[in-house]
Each structure stands twice: as C-alpha cells, then as structure tokens.
Amino acid sequence: MTREVLIRICSRQTARDASGDQQQEEVLVSGEYFFRNGRHYLLYEEVQEGFFDTSRSRIRFDGESLDIRKQGIASTRMIFVPGEKKLTCYETPFGGIMLGIFAKDIRLTESEDEINLQVSYTMEIEDRPHADCVVSVNIRPKYM
C-alpha cells in the first residue's frame, strides 16, 4: 500500500428505540497510511459539519482492535475491542457527551491495493442504549 491514500468511511446507525430509524453517513478524504509494529495507521483531516474548522483524525487498527482519535472542534478517543465495553467522552463546543461502546465484531481484509475494515458495535449515550452501528473503512492508493 502506498503512503498517500483515499479513505472512504461509511457509517450506519440504527436506533435502538421503537422507531428503528436509520442514519447513514459517508466521508471520502485523502490521507496518509503506514504500517508499523503489526498495526495499520491512517492520518487525515476532515471538515466538521456546520463548522469551518477541521478535525485531525488518527485511526490505528489490526484484526483485533480499532482505536480512533479525533482532535479539533470535536475531540474524542474511541476504542473498539470485540466483547468489551469501552467508555469515552466526546467533547464538542457545546459540552461533553459520555459514550459507551460495545464492539461486537471487527473484520479486516487486506490485499496489495486495498484494505477493508468493518466494525459493528452498540453505542450508549449517557448510559442509555442508543444505536446499533456499523462502520466500514476502505483504503486505496491515491494514485494507481
């Protein structure tokens, strides 16, 4: 895999209440990729919806865990380990929100020109069930 990559992040949330409402979001950004000590790393910046500032993000993953750090207008560190519930604070300009993340499954597939990562998890907000979520990350060389 090259250092300069295109990163496509697709997320889907299904509400855990009676409505079962679904929200989907897709982000396509360019970023940097590297592999060190058995882990994959992605570095990129993205514009936060409704703001002019960007957030810097770092994603570190292998087949057993996923670690996402965002710094900027909104900041957080989310850790996903299947079978474990992790707590984190999602800091926004309007205050912090306590999130609980229970990862169910992480799938990683790799080839010379593409990496796919998918994590499914349940999210709680302020200790209340909120949504069942799936995040898919596709990484490809920026230039082929």
Side-chain angles (χ1 to χ4, degrees):
M1 181 66 64
T2 64
R3 184 152 177 102
E4 293 183 53
V5 293
L6 288 175
I7 306 163
R8 180 183 307 270
I9 303 170
C10 301
S11 64
R12 184 181 70 237
Q13 294 184 1
T14 304
R16 296 199 72 199
D17 60 16
S19 73
D21 289 343
Q22 279 197 357
Q23 290 183 351
Q24 293 188 27
E25 191 174 310
E26 184 171 325
V27 176
L28 180 63
V29 295
S30 59
E32 294 181 51
Y33 166 82
F34 58 96
F35 186 80
R36 185 180 301 148
N37 297 327
R39 290 193 172 129
H40 302 270
Y41 290 82
L42 294 171
L43 304 172
Y44 63 94
E45 290 188 6
E46 64 181 301
V47 176
Q48 295 297 129
E49 189 174 329
F51 296 94
F52 294 107
D53 294 335
T54 60
S55 291
R56 290 175 299 161
S57 298
R58 187 206 74 189
I59 298 177
R60 180 180 70 189
F61 62 94
D62 54 28
E64 298 175 15
S65 67
L66 168 65
D67 183 342
I68 300 173
R69 288 184 189 213
K70 291 183 180 259
Q71 294 179 309
I73 195 77
S75 298
T76 191
R77 180 176 185 201
M78 297 182 284
I79 299 172
F80 302 82
V81 178
E84 295 183 21
K85 180 179 173 180
K86 302 288 186 179
L87 299 176
T88 189
C89 188
Y90 191 84
E91 294 290 341
T92 75
F94 311 106
I97 301 168
M98 189 57 99
L99 300 178
I101 298 169
F102 180 79
K104 299 175 191 174
D105 186 41
I106 293 178
R107 294 181 187 174
L108 175 63
T109 58
E110 304 173 58
S111 70
E112 189 174 316
D113 294 330
E114 185 174 29
I115 298 172
N116 287 292
L117 174 70
Q118 184 177 62
V119 60
S120 59
Y121 63 98
T122 299
M123 181 175 26
E124 297 175 347
I125 296 180
E126 300 295 341
D127 226 12
R128 292 187 178 143
H130 178 69
D132 290 317
C133 309
V134 176
V135 173
S136 300
V137 181
N138 174 265
I139 306 140
R140 292 179 183 219
K142 188 171 185 177
Y143 306 105
M144 302 247 322

